[in-house]
Amino acid sequence: MPRTNAEYYQMFFIFAQCDGNARVTAARYREVHSGEQAPSAAAFRRLAFRVYTSGSLQPNRTESGRSCGISTVRLDAALAEFDRDGTQSVREVSRRTGVSRGTLHRCLMEEGLHPYKYVRMQTLHPEDYIRRMEYSRWLLGEIERNPSFCRYILWTDEALFTREGCFNAHNSHVWDDENPIAIRTHARQERWLVNLWAGICDNFVIGPYILPEKLNGATYQHFLEHVLPNLLEEIPLEIRKNMYFQHDGAPAHYAANVRAYLDETFRDRWIGRGGPVSWPPRSPDMNPLDYFFWGHLKTTVYRDPLRTREEMVARIHSAVVSITTDTLINIKRNIRRRVEACIEVGGGHIEPILATLR
């Protein structure tokens, strides 16, 4: 059923209490009306727009140009369904309300709604929230003491690049006047992959460097001891002397010999599982290699089918060269926003918060 004036008034009252922040308003409404399906943040924004532009709480559909055969009450009831739960399908709401899918879809677009896709995130374990909070508070505290602190962190990660690459059949199309029956081959007998290490420090991309296909404690320590120092030669000496080394909790990273080497080389200036500063598990959203670098590389590397391993390596280096200094500066700024967002959501997923800041 459509919302009453009293319901809209209460929504607008809470919106005003929350200083016009629709996202905070939606969360506050859920607290006040626990057990009910709360309106989305978009519903509060549309309500505020109506009140400020027309002075009306109720949507005005009398001059919308829609078919006279559709009851306004029935249409309002259908749209109210999406105010209460924006995850419903147009097909299901159409079946329940008797409004055709085409009409309902058109009305949703006229209301400024769009069918946004879910963002896939790693599942967080209950203890992960605490670890993410602890790490975020530590990093934010260091930044407060030294605003340039992130210049001294060497963020690192590894990623596999395979011949098959990334292909999403649902989002890939061939536009033509007739169906060309386009195909994309896969599962080739001749397979190869590249296990790539890379780092970001200050305004520099370190590497990339091709590791052995299977990384273990011995090969990883050899890389840290004999390869990494050469890769860091372009980094200013002042940064190298005060550098923090970061990696995640992969098995090779947690090997006893690796931790012993990092304790000796970096002392209390390394971040990782079992380190002086603990890296929170399942937190790729905190590492610029994960949330920026690998995606940038794979977009370039897999833009066209690959024929040889050498071609893949060449595309990798081309993608790295295309990263500008301005982009790396923005990455450093983004790190602080991410830990602040993590604290704001109590250690949970930060993408919904970051989306409101863009």
Side-chain angles (χ1 to χ4, degrees):
M1 292 294 294
R3 296 186 186 276
T4 64
N5 278 336
E7 289 176 314
Y8 276 129
Y9 180 81
Q10 189 169 36
M11 287 172 59
F12 188 76
F13 180 73
I14 297 176
F15 182 80
Q17 285 184 322
C18 296
D19 297 324
N21 187 317
R23 180 175 52 79
V24 174
T25 305
R28 175 63 179 159
Y29 194 96
R30 284 193 293 270
E31 294 176 3
V32 175
H33 299 274
S34 58
E36 296 182 15
Q37 182 66 50
S40 64
F44 286 101
R45 283 192 285 267
R46 292 196 303 275
L47 172 61
F49 180 78
R50 286 199 304 272
V51 172
Y52 295 144
T53 57
S54 68
S56 173
L57 293 169
Q58 290 283 353
N60 179 17
R61 310 195 198 281
T62 57
E63 299 178 358
S64 62
R66 297 180 179 126
S67 171
C68 296
I70 302 173
S71 165
T72 300
V73 173
R74 203 167 67 202
L75 188 55
D76 285 348
L79 294 174
E81 292 274 342
F82 289 94
D83 277 350
R84 292 188 174 90
D85 182 5
T87 65
Q88 301 180 87
S89 72
V90 172
R91 182 189 298 273
E92 180 61 23
V93 174
S94 171
R95 184 189 62 78
R96 288 202 307 267
T97 61
V99 179
S100 72
R101 279 187 290 159
T103 299
L104 185 54
H105 186 273
R106 184 176 66 252
C107 292
L108 289 170
M109 298 296 287
E110 290 174 357
E111 290 288 322
L113 301 180
H114 302 278
Y116 295 106
K117 295 183 179 180
Y118 282 94
V119 177
R120 297 181 65 182
M121 301 292 292
Q122 284 193 325
T123 299
L124 295 176
H125 298 178
E127 62 273 16
D128 293 343
Y129 293 83
I130 297 174
R131 294 177 181 177
R132 285 164 61 85
M133 286 286 287
E134 290 174 346
Y135 168 77
S136 296
R137 288 187 179 123
W138 169 81
L139 183 54
L140 192 58
E142 295 295 330
I143 294 173
E144 292 292 342
R145 283 187 284 274
N146 177 11
S148 300
F149 181 75
C150 287
R151 292 187 60 211
Y152 298 89
I153 300 178
L154 171 59
W155 311 91
T156 76
D157 198 25
E158 300 95 39
L160 282 176
F161 286 70
T162 68
R163 181 177 186 176
E164 301 294 342
C166 308
F167 179 66
N168 187 332
H170 179 71
N171 290 330
S172 300
H173 309 89
V174 178
W175 292 87
D176 207 335
D177 56 352
E178 292 184 6
N179 187 354
I181 316 298
I183 63 173
R184 182 181 174 101
T185 59
H186 69 99
R188 300 176 178 90
Q189 287 186 335
E190 182 186 356
R191 300 185 183 184
W192 31 259
L193 58 82
V194 172
N195 188 14
L196 207 64
W197 178 96
I200 292 177
C201 182
D202 194 25
N203 298 332
F204 300 89
V205 174
I206 314 302
Y209 181 81
I210 299 176
L211 294 167
E213 291 186 6
K214 293 185 178 180
L215 194 65
N216 56 36
T219 54
Y220 188 52
Q221 181 185 349
H222 180 273
F223 164 77
L224 294 175
E225 190 171 355
H226 299 287
V227 179
L228 183 59
N230 295 328
L231 296 177
L232 294 177
E233 286 183 351
E234 63 178 323
I235 303 297
L237 180 60
E238 189 265 337
I239 292 180
R240 274 184 283 161
K241 289 172 59 177
N242 299 283
M243 179 181 289
Y244 273 71
F245 178 86
Q246 178 275 336
H247 63 188
D248 59 26
H253 300 175
Y254 189 61
N257 60 308
V258 170
R259 285 181 283 134
Y261 174 78
L262 292 175
D263 284 336
E264 180 182 353
T265 305
F266 292 94
R267 300 188 181 277
D268 60 348
R269 291 179 288 107
W270 68 274
I271 306 165
R273 181 157 64 118
V277 180
S278 180
W279 177 256
R282 289 164 288 279
S283 297
D285 53 350
M286 297 291 193
N287 188 338
L289 278 299
D290 276 305
Y291 64 74
F292 161 72
F293 187 79
W294 299 130
H296 171 78
L297 260 62
K298 290 183 177 181
T299 298
T300 301
V301 170
Y302 296 124
R303 68 181 185 273
D304 296 310
L306 291 160
R307 293 179 293 274
T308 65
R309 185 176 185 272
E310 290 70 24
E311 183 182 6
M312 172 186 279
V313 172
R315 289 190 192 178
I316 287 171
H317 286 287
S318 175
V320 171
V321 170
S322 71
I323 299 174
T324 66
T325 301
D326 287 343
T327 298
L328 295 170
I329 291 173
N330 287 332
I331 285 174
K332 284 187 295 186
R333 294 173 182 160
N334 193 262
I335 290 168
R336 174 168 187 157
R337 287 201 296 268
R338 285 174 177 267
V339 295
E340 289 174 338
C342 186
I343 293 172
E344 184 176 346
V345 297
H349 291 128
I350 62 177
E351 286 302 324
I353 299 292
L354 296 174
T356 65
L357 301 176
R358 291 170 187 151

